[in-house]
Amino acid sequence: MIIHLKKALNLLIIFSVFSCNNDKDNDTSLQNNKAKAIYNQAYQENFQEDQIDDIIANAQNAYVLIDPFQDNVHASISAIKAKGNEVGAYISIGTGEAYRNDFNQMKPYLVSTPWGQWPDEYFVNNTTTGILDLMKARIDQIALWGCDWVEFDNMDWVYDDDLRSTYGFKVTVEEGIAYYKELCDYVHKKGMKCMAKNTVENATYFDGVLYESYSDEKNWWDESGAQSFLDAGKLVIINHYNESNCGQVYSDYIDVYNTNLSFICEDSNLKKYVHYNE
């Protein structure tokens, strides 16, 4: 899901205290310098997510995003990895989701009004108390299940002044940056990689980024940030929704960036995801 960074994209926020020279960046640049096929079981916008059986049958040397806390999906991780796939685990760090098992534990750290766009979700209100431990507990479980990546959904909520005004969350931009840095550091300590979501603002230590793209809203993010990740050999993914001509959109994005870009597209004719670089 997408949070528009209406003011943040025009704001250069440089906090040297949060910079991180992590050896893992160098490892990633060696490992992920080519485009991968992308599969997504964790979410979709209009039709259907990739199905586990299809992933096991068809994905090879791909990046496979799953929601491991959903419907016993984690039980398929070993089978997914058998063909050289890397498995990413979805978590939302900027919202609490009412359908999660740990939601009641999260409620003290959330705003009281549900997000209008996603009514089962509530924005994180503060990040300096117990929510860090809850997120780290999720990461502990993801590591035990054998995932390779953790995707940080809604990590950009603190940059959106309209959302802040509407929902009144108290967390500052500086606190939000420190929060996702600490969580990414923890993911690295667990031997996994961090996938940023929809922004690389103050996130140079992340190992990859996934952007959500729409037929009427393409390349809306900071293009130079995406290019900097590609230049560093990191995994850059565009997940494009509800498109009648996926091939043309893919070609257009390759023209903007380069052939190392990874791409998945929700095809409005087939009503499912189509995959590239297979």
Side-chain angles (χ1 to χ4, degrees), residues 86-106:
E86 295 184 40
V87 176
Y90 167 94
I91 61 172
S92 176
I93 68 164
T95 67
E97 301 148 310
Y99 48 87
R100 299 297 184 188
N101 290 338
D102 59 1
F103 179 69
N104 286 335
Q105 295 170 272
M106 277 192 159

Side-chain angles (χ1 to χ4, degrees), residues 266-278:
E266 193 184 55
D267 190 299
S268 60
N269 300 305
L270 299 175
K271 299 191 180 339
K272 64 179 183 179
Y273 279 127
V274 293
H275 311 97
Y276 293 78
N277 303 304
E278 291 188 295

Side-chain angles (χ1 to χ4, degrees), residues 177-197:
I177 294 166
Y179 170 65
Y180 61 68
K181 180 187 185 301
E182 182 168 348
L183 289 176
C184 184
D185 285 347
Y186 193 72
V187 167
H188 285 158
K189 288 176 183 177
K190 292 292 179 176
M192 299 180 293
K193 302 173 189 174
C194 302
M195 182 67 70
K197 183 75 173 286

Side-chain angles (χ1 to χ4, degrees), residues 40-250:
N40 190 341
Q41 178 276 329
Y43 51 82
Q44 45 73 40
E45 283 280 339
N46 302 283
F47 305 113
Q48 66 173 353
E49 66 276 11
D50 285 318
Q51 303 300 299
I52 291 295
D53 288 346
D54 291 336
I55 292 169
I56 292 171
N58 299 312
Q60 186 168 356
N61 300 319
Y63 173 84
V64 179
L65 179 63
I66 65 171
D67 185 342
F69 297 98
Q70 175 192 61
D71 299 332
N72 206 38
V73 167
H74 64 86
S76 299
I77 290 172
S78 294
I80 293 170
K81 294 178 71 169
K83 292 183 180 178
N85 299 305
E86 295 184 40
V87 176
Y90 167 94
I91 61 172
S92 176
I93 68 164
T95 67
E97 301 148 310
Y99 48 87
R100 299 297 184 188
N101 290 338
D102 59 1
F103 179 69
N104 286 335
Q105 295 170 272
M106 277 192 159
K107 284 177 74 173
Y109 316 115
L110 308 175
V111 300
S112 58
T113 303
W115 187 2
Q117 186 176 353
W118 302 95
D120 287 331
E121 300 193 41
Y122 298 75
F123 286 108
V124 171
N125 189 37
N126 65 74
T127 57
T128 57
T129 52
I131 197 165
L132 268 168
D133 290 335
L134 293 173
M135 290 294 174
K136 287 178 179 179
R138 289 184 180 183
I139 292 167
D140 288 340
Q141 184 62 74
I142 288 166
L144 286 173
W145 281 331
C147 292
D148 304 290
W149 294 75
V150 181
E151 180 183 299
F152 288 39
D153 195 17
N154 298 313
M155 62 180 279
D156 53 354
W157 92 108
V158 293
Y159 294 109
D160 195 307
D161 290 339
D162 288 343
L163 290 178
R164 184 184 300 280
S165 176
T166 300
Y167 297 99
F169 44 81
K170 297 176 181 177
V171 56
T172 66
V173 170
E174 294 89 344
E175 289 168 344
I177 294 166
Y179 170 65
Y180 61 68
K181 180 187 185 301
E182 182 168 348
L183 289 176
C184 184
D185 285 347
Y186 193 72
V187 167
H188 285 158
K189 288 176 183 177
K190 292 292 179 176
M192 299 180 293
K193 302 173 189 174
C194 302
M195 182 67 70
K197 183 75 173 286
N198 288 326
T199 183
V200 296
E201 187 112 7
N202 296 286
T204 57
Y205 45 86
F206 275 68
D207 306 288
V209 59
L210 183 148
Y211 296 103
E212 292 175 295
S213 167
Y214 297 81
S215 58
D216 59 349
E217 198 170 11
K218 302 183 186 75
N219 211 39
W220 58 266
W221 49 85
D222 175 16
E223 184 179 316
S224 64
Q227 188 63 56
S228 72
F229 266 43
L230 282 170
D231 291 344
K234 297 182 179 184
L235 187 58
V236 177
I237 302 166
I238 293 177
N239 191 343
H240 186 74
Y241 295 121
N242 200 21
E243 181 58 55
S244 61
N245 192 344
C246 287
Q248 183 61 57
V249 174
Y250 178 48

